[in-house]
Amino acid sequence: DSGVTQTPKHLITATGQRVTLRCSPRSGDLSVYWYQQSLDQGLQFLIQYYNGEERAKGNILERFSAQQFPDLHSELNLSSLELGDSALYFCASSVLAHGDTQYFGPGTRLTVL
Amino acid sequence: AQTVTQSQPEMSVQEAETVTLSCTYDTSESDYYLFWYKQPPSRQMILVIRQEAYKQQNATENRFSVNFQKAAKSFSLKISDSQLGDAAMYFCAYRPNSNSGYALNFGKGTSLLVTP
């Protein structure tokens, strides 16, 4: 157990819908990262937050957004969902913005029908 | 842009034997980190081992060790005394240590099968 929690574990929804994925980092970790794992794209970095502020952006679609709250948990919002958004979404956390290891949560499996 | 290449989509090893998984990367940075993560059927991403680029000594963690060749931009993982529980997808990852970002860049992965 990495100490990073993600909810829900599974999510099934329809095209055009909006969903919110939640992540709680390890105790003491200030930085949260979101990654998407799909069969065709592999593991891709989406976005990073550090202590409530956006720190880095990767291949995140405009339909996707995220935020980190004062208690350091983070939410990833996915809207206008398409079939191709079906994937495993991971949250990872680390103590600082740089210099250390990222520990991954168990992931949220999103299925868009 | 940094790229990570794992040239072996699948590997097989017998229990108790040794196997080496290959990884190469491309970067113009001099300061960075390299990682191997394991993803078993449960889909959890588990850190196996980490290497700082400024360290010449190869990292080891119990049965897992790396061969880090900075000039060749190569970072292979050696698993000794393979166990059935080592069967998983293994991902090599690169992360720069600069303000350009701290995201992990992953390879496509190598699926490791362990046979009794």
Side-chain angles (χ1 to χ4, degrees), chain A residues 35 37 97-98 100 102 104, chain B residues 37 39 44 95 102 104:
Chain A
Y35 293 87
Q37 184 177 30
H98 62 89
D100 35 81
Q102 295 175 27
F104 282 73
Chain B
Y37 280 89
Q39 188 177 40
Q44 174 79 47
R95 201 207 73 212
Y102 308 108
L104 291 166

Side-chain angles (χ1 to χ4, degrees), chain A residues 2 33 35 37 40-43 45 48 55-56 88 90 97-106 109, chain B residues 33 35 37 39 42-47 50 91 95 97-108:
Chain A
S2 66
Y33 308 75
Y35 293 87
Q37 184 177 30
D40 52 344
Q41 298 290 331
L43 269 158
F45 167 69
Q48 178 199 358
R55 186 60 190 260
L88 188 53
F90 284 108
H98 62 89
D100 35 81
T101 299
Q102 295 175 27
Y103 293 92
F104 282 73
R109 166 73 69 185
Chain B
Y33 295 82
F35 304 84
Y37 280 89
Q39 188 177 40
S42 67
R43 295 301 209 174
Q44 174 79 47
M45 292 289 288
I46 302 165
L47 175 70
R50 149 189 166 134
F91 292 95
R95 201 207 73 212
N97 192 31
S98 70
N99 285 328
S100 62
Y102 308 108
L104 291 166
N105 294 285
F106 286 93
K108 296 286 188 189

